Amino acid sequence: MAAKTLVDFDLDRYLRNSKKVDLSEIAWEDVPKYPLTDGDVMCLHYMMDIEAHTVIYLRDLLATRAATDPQITAFLSCWVYEELWHGEAFSDFLRLYGIEEPIEPRLPDGRSPLPTRANRWRDLRVKVGVGNGLGIVPTMLGSMVSPDFIAIHMMWGAINELTTLTGYYALIRRTDHPVLHQMLRKVIQDERRHFAFYRAQAKARMERSRAARRMVRWVLSTLWTPVGAGVKSEEEVDALALYLFGDSPEGREQARGIDETIAAIPGLQGLTLIEDFLDAAERRVAARPGWAGIEPAAPHRNGDGPSPPMHWRESVERRPDVMPATSEVERREESRMEARFETLSADGGG
């Protein structure tokens, strides 16, 4: 008899509390009042596109054994809905800031049709070849051959979600826009739960199966790419990674925290996926000056800038499903933000 897979995640609680991210308290009218750098805008475009592209990842998952697992399919039904609204949030923010795509505008109150950027979403998916469905063939074959194949998807999803939520923390560190801070904090709460589910699923399967551990490690070591690769060009992925994690020692610490969290999963000890990618991106910049928008010896924007305002700290009292930090990298980020908040309060800043 096969060993039972014990997953450390309260799925019932998640399903009962899943909903569209609540941005009703966001001061949308204040979005254009604060400046964003070109790098901030680049990050928001990237994040908007990737959040809205989640449904394609769902398609690939449902072409595997995951479709027969009632826990996974229940989670995915809510997950893809929540991710859709993350993409819409970034879209609304950019539009209100004054950056518009050539499609009809929409207010963030739900009075106009969805999706807000239909042409952009369609063009992205056609560009990466999702129209013909051939991309899922290797996934289907791998799933048929190995019962442990789903562990790859669960671990890949965990890395994507942890990288995403840590990237949002990094953007909070880099930008001084208080409304963006508020919005990102809301989205981070959803991403935490998503990461917790994928991590719990992957860990349970890898603890149970030596074959799963070996297979997942080989796939990550050989085939892994950062979230957004394939949808975005190599230069765009490098630009995002270096802006968020390659700008300062603090950025590197955030990247290292992701690696440490992933390496704590059975079978993945010693993996340094994010830092290895950053090192490679820096080599590409050194070899091609101007690559990813980076010129030699460019000053760091955040070097001597003001600390983030107090608005970053959001009340979670109305959200019964808010989770505490689920990994060391999250706890580290929360502690850093708390320290900044206390410093600002002591100085009378805001």
Side-chain angles (χ1 to χ4, degrees), residues 177-239:
H177 198 300
V179 184
L180 180 56
H181 288 192
Q182 290 177 317
M183 189 183 80
L184 289 172
R185 293 285 297 176
K186 294 287 189 180
V187 174
I188 283 171
Q189 293 297 338
D190 283 348
E191 301 294 358
R192 274 187 177 178
R193 294 178 298 140
H194 301 167
F195 164 66
F197 176 84
Y198 280 114
R199 178 184 178 277
Q201 287 282 339
K203 183 179 179 182
R205 286 168 168 75
M206 294 169 71
E207 284 179 336
R208 181 192 65 187
S209 169
R210 180 184 178 191
R213 293 194 294 273
R214 295 177 62 181
M215 182 170 56
V216 171
R217 187 181 185 93
W218 180 87
V219 168
L220 293 179
S221 300
T222 308
L223 304 176
W224 179 83
T225 55
V227 59
V231 179
K232 297 294 187 177
S233 69
E234 182 182 50
E235 186 173 16
E236 289 173 313
V237 178
D238 283 354

Side-chain angles (χ1 to χ4, degrees), residues 7 34 71 89 114 123 125 149 170 181 190 241 262 282 296 309 344:
V7 180
Y34 303 91
Q71 289 194 6
L114 288 168
D123 292 345
R125 292 166 187 173
F149 194 83
H181 288 192
D190 283 348
I262 299 308
E282 289 178 348
L344 280 168

